[in-house]
């Protein structure tokens, strides 16, 4: 599973500058919607700004977290190196499950925010 996440993360890492610019733009849009801004008199762009910020930060953290996954332990390694490698991969496996859960939560949040935004 973590090797598959690493392949996805390497693709995302190629887009990190675009995602970083998207995060900055969406944070500026959300911030400008909250303060008393003459160009954005109401908060109609707040929810899309928050959604874009959540997705860009989620993808940036995903790409950074799974950028380099250590290879599996081999029998030629010393016993303490094998244990450390297995612990690293186990922790990444748990973080992978947590990241999948976080992605699901951001998907649900996006759905709810955009649904409310479209109705208003």
């Amino acid at each position: 599973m973590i090797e598959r996440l690493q392949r996805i993360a390497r693709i995302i890492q190629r887009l990190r500058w675009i995602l970083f610019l998207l995060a900055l733009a969406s944070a500026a849009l959300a911030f400008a919607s909250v303060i008393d801004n003459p160009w954005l008199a109401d908060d109609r762009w707040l929810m899309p700004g928050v959604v874009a910020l959540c997705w860009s930060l989620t993808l940036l953290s995903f790409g950074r977290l799974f950028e380099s996954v250590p290879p599996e332990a081999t029998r030629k390694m010393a016993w303490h190196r094998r244990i450390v490698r297995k612990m690293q991969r186990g922790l990444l496996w748990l973080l992978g499950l947590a990241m999948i859960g976080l992605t699901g939560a951001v998907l649900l949040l996006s759905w709810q925010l955009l649904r409310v935004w479209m109705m208003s």
Side-chain angles (χ1 to χ4, degrees):
M1 176 180 85
I2 57 177
E3 285 83 11
R4 197 170 286 161
L5 294 176
Q6 182 183 20
R7 284 194 300 261
I8 296 169
R10 286 185 177 165
I11 295 169
I12 291 172
Q13 278 298 98
R14 292 183 194 141
L15 304 172
R16 71 179 172 263
W17 292 109
I18 296 171
L19 291 171
F20 184 70
L21 290 175
L22 177 66
L24 285 176
S26 59
L29 180 66
F31 183 71
S33 295
V34 172
I35 63 171
D36 192 22
N37 189 349
W39 293 316
L40 299 172
D42 55 354
D43 60 350
R44 69 175 173 204
W45 295 108
L46 178 64
M47 288 186 201
V50 169
V51 168
L53 181 64
C54 286
W55 276 110
S56 59
L57 290 178
T58 301
L59 290 173
L60 280 170
S61 63
F62 180 83
R64 185 72 179 140
L65 181 62
F66 294 103
E67 182 180 19
S68 60
V69 173
E72 289 189 32
T74 61
R75 293 204 176 264
K76 294 179 182 179
M77 299 174 99
W79 65 272
H80 60 281
R81 292 250 186 228
R82 281 196 311 251
I83 291 174
V84 168
R85 184 71 53 92
K86 286 182 182 185
M87 288 175 58
Q88 288 173 340
R89 289 180 59 86
L91 182 62
L92 276 175
W93 202 85
L94 289 174
L95 288 173
L97 288 177
M99 188 57 84
I100 291 170
L102 175 70
T103 304
V106 170
L107 184 66
L108 183 64
L109 176 71
S110 300
W111 170 260
Q112 293 296 326
L113 283 175
L114 292 178
R115 186 175 60 89
V116 168
W117 180 64
M118 292 292 211
M119 288 182 180
S120 64

